């Protein structure tokens, strides 16, 4: 497959903010309300994939490759349609995890179809869907590429051991971004954010699910098994830093503007954003702290009663072909969940595209991979209490 030259699309995360805990989620899924739970026997509908060659796919904006001359064209998706004869109704309707939850939860809790065969949401929200029994187990016999090529680091998160219900669409790292020239030194540890020369020039992410893990890692906590005490210790520390004026503010993705302007010198940040920022300012660096950083994903799932499950499983597996994954990675610039795509990019004739194979923010090197961890998610019993405390600190 011929790979296009690397372009510089606006990152989806540059435009959209993923909130940590919405009212509806806190009141229903966050509390694990049992009447909303759907047992395995009640999740499947008659699959008409063999006779109805189509599927409906809900995704985020700016999260798939498009043609440079015609943004309405999606080369990898159109290649799938041509190869399989399956027509894909691709809808960019997910702007926020909680908002989308509110949109489809009434159907799911009432055992009704959502009208969607495939959805992409953040893993911390995927955990809620899995616990509530709102998604179907995937048939791995239809997904040999996923079985073979899925990154070992992403294969077994705490909320979905063995990835029975979810498959990563794209992945990323929550670490620290900083301006090396303006700061005049390196940042290597989470504790460096609290240095006196950064007073009032630091931002943290406002969303609970986005912020807490990295801060815990700075305390040496194993985030695969963190405790309530670990969480409250972090909150105590952040409250102290707010009180002394260290933290300028809590942000969504608008930290990008602050970092670019120089109003902020260091911040919690997403790896995919920094790739885009570095294109304009090579002095902006991204660091996986010595203590480690959180590896996260946004994943594909088939909701209950979807009528084109086999078609959806076929599409998921298509995107795990290394050549297809490479073409997608060259456009979206997130951490690729298919390490084998690296060799495809390295062989590209276009120099900019080939250079992506050496970018550790798309294909983390061995040293970085050893410091990346998937955090255990916040349980339904913990969420209301934790969100209340964190949101009070962050001013939400």
């Amino acid at each position: 497959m011929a790979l296009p030259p690397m372009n510089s699309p606006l990152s989806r995360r540059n435009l959209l903010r993923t909130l940590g805990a919405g009212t509806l989620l806190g009141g229903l899924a966050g509390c694990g309300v049992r009447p909303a739970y759907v047992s395995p026997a009640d999740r499947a509908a008659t699959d008409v994939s063999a006779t109805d060659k189509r599927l409906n796919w809900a995704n985020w904006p700016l999260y798939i490759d498009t043609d440079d001359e015609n943004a309405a064209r999606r080369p990898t998706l159109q290649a799938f349609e041509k190869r399989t004869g399956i027509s894909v109704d691709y809808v960019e309707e997910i702007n926020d995890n909680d908002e989308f939850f509110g949109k489809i939860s009434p159907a799911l809790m009432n055992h009704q179809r959502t009208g969607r065969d495939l959805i992409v949401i953040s893993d911390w929200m995927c955990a809620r869907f899995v616990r509530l029994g709102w998604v179907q187990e995937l048939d791995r016999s239809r997904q040999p590429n996923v079985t073979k090529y899925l990154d070992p680091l992403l294969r077994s998160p705490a909320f979905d051991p063995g990835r029975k219900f979810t498959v990563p669409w794209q992945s990323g790292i929550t670490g620290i971004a900083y301006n090396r020239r303006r700061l005049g030194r390196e940042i290597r540890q989470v504790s460096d954010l609290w240095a006196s020369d950064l007073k009032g020039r630091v931002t943290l992410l406002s969303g609970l699910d986005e912020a807490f893990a990295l801060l815990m890692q700075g305390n040496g906590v194993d985030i695969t098994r963190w405790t309530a005490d670990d969480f409250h210790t972090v909150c105590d520390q952040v409250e102290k830093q707010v009180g002394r004026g260290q933290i300028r503010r809590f942000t969504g993705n608008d930290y990008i503007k602050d970092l670019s302007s120089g109003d902020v010198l260091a911040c919690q940040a997403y790896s995919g954003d920094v790739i885009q920022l570095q294109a304009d300012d090579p002095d902006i660096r991204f660091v996986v702290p010595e203590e480690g950083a959180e590896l996260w994903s946004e994943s594909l799932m088939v909701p209950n009663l979807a009528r084109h499950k086999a078609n959806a499983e076929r599409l998921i597996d298509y995107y795990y072909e290394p050549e297809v994954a490479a073409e997608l990675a060259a456009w979206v610039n997130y951490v690729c969940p298919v390490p084998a795509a690296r060799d495809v990019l390295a062989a590209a004739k276009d120099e900019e595209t080939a250079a992506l194979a050496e970018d550790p923010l798309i294909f983390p090197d061995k040293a970085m991979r050893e410091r990346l961890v998937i955090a255990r998610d916040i349980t339904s019993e913990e969420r209301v209490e934790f969100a209340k405390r964190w949101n009070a600190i962050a001013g939400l």
Side-chain angles (χ1 to χ4, degrees):
M1 180 180 295
L3 293 172
M6 184 185 74
N7 50 25
S8 296
L10 289 172
S11 165
R12 177 181 60 76
R13 286 182 178 267
N14 288 6
L15 301 181
L16 305 169
R17 175 181 173 189
T18 302
L19 300 178
T23 302
L24 180 58
L25 180 59
L28 175 61
C31 294
V33 177
R34 295 307 297 175
Y37 177 79
V38 179
S39 66
D42 296 325
R43 298 175 190 174
T46 300
D47 193 340
V48 298
S49 293
T51 56
D52 192 11
K53 295 290 188 179
R54 61 190 177 94
L55 69 94
N56 296 289
W57 181 8
N59 204 347
W60 303 73
L62 304 174
Y63 219 15
I64 197 169
D65 55 303
T66 61
D67 186 90
D68 287 343
E69 297 179 359
N70 182 358
R73 293 190 67 253
R74 303 180 178 100
T76 58
L77 189 56
Q78 289 176 325
F80 171 80
E81 291 177 315
K82 183 177 181 180
R83 180 197 297 186
T84 64
I86 297 171
S87 175
V88 181
D89 183 10
Y90 183 85
V91 183
E92 295 182 331
E93 65 170 322
I94 304 176
N95 295 305
D96 173 85
N97 285 287
D98 291 321
E99 178 187 36
F100 188 66
F101 175 92
K103 192 174 186 177
I104 68 172
S105 60
L108 290 165
M109 73 176 65
N110 287 296
H111 300 212
Q112 298 170 352
R113 288 197 294 270
T114 66
R116 300 157 183 87
D117 301 296
L118 194 61
I119 61 176
V120 180
I121 53 178
S122 300
D123 270 359
W124 64 265
M125 180 63 86
C126 290
R128 318 267 117 42
F129 278 67
V130 171
R131 277 202 289 264
L132 286 165
W134 287 1
V135 290
Q136 300 183 58
E137 184 170 348
L138 299 169
D139 185 351
R140 284 288 182 262
S141 69
R142 295 193 181 114
Q143 298 182 319
N145 292 320
V146 174
T147 300
K148 182 176 182 180
Y149 293 117
L150 174 58
D151 191 330
L153 286 178
L154 300 171
R155 285 182 180 265
S156 197
F159 74 91
D160 185 16
R163 288 282 183 183
K164 294 180 180 180
F165 299 93
T166 63
V167 175
W169 170 243
Q170 293 294 291
S171 191
I173 304 165
T174 300
I176 298 173
Y178 68 103
N179 190 302
R180 175 65 179 82
R181 178 178 55 81
R182 287 188 168 119
L183 182 58
R185 61 179 176 85
E186 304 289 340
I187 284 181
R188 296 188 175 90
Q189 300 178 327
V190 175
S191 60
D192 290 342
L193 292 174
W194 317 137
S196 59
D197 60 345
L198 283 172
K199 186 173 182 179
R201 311 290 291 278
V202 173
T203 61
L204 299 181
L205 294 169
S206 57
L208 168 61
D209 294 89
E210 285 76 33
F212 79 92
L214 182 73
L215 301 175
M216 283 186 187
Q217 287 170 297
N219 293 334
V221 173
D222 177 357
I223 61 171
T224 67
R225 50 194 302 176
W226 59 269
T227 68
D229 287 343
D230 296 324
F231 174 79
H232 287 297
T233 295
V234 162
C235 287
D236 291 343
Q237 292 170 333
V238 174
E239 281 182 324
K240 178 181 177 181
Q241 298 301 334
V242 169
R244 64 185 289 260
Q246 186 74 12
I247 299 170
R248 182 182 183 89
R249 65 190 185 105
F250 294 82
T251 73
N253 294 93
D254 44 342
Y255 69 81
I256 294 167
K257 178 181 65 176
D258 293 341
L259 187 62
S260 297
S261 68
D263 290 338
V264 161
L265 297 182
C267 57
Q268 276 189 314
Y270 303 118
S271 55
D273 287 341
V274 175
I275 292 176
Q276 302 299 329
L277 290 172
Q278 288 173 334
D280 297 321
D281 187 348
D283 291 317
I284 291 178
R285 309 285 176 84
F286 182 88
V287 61
V288 171
E290 293 174 357
E291 307 96 328
E294 181 188 14
L295 181 67
W296 48 263
S297 297
E298 283 164 327
S299 293
L300 298 142
M301 300 190 297
V302 176
N304 288 355
L305 304 183
R307 303 193 68 198
H308 304 91
K309 181 173 183 282
N311 289 345
E313 289 167 334
R314 189 171 181 183
L315 185 142
I316 293 170
D317 201 57
Y318 164 79
Y319 275 100
Y320 270 72
E321 294 179 12
E323 294 80 9
V324 179
E327 187 169 356
L328 182 63
W331 201 92
V332 299
N333 292 171
Y334 283 86
V335 174
C336 181
V338 183
R342 182 180 182 276
D343 291 339
V344 178
L345 285 171
K349 294 181 179 179
D350 179 79
E351 291 184 4
E352 285 187 277
T353 302
L356 293 175
E358 304 305 319
D359 191 328
L361 300 188
I362 299 176
F363 298 99
D365 57 29
K366 183 175 183 296
M368 184 180 290
R369 288 174 67 87
E370 290 175 351
R371 301 199 303 276
L372 298 177
V373 184
I374 299 177
R376 82 156 175 89
D377 60 299
I378 300 170
T379 68
S380 56
E381 292 77 17
E382 295 167 329
R383 178 162 293 277
V384 174
E385 174 194 349
F386 290 0
K388 182 178 180 180
R389 182 165 192 205
W390 178 259
N391 291 349
I393 297 170
L396 298 179

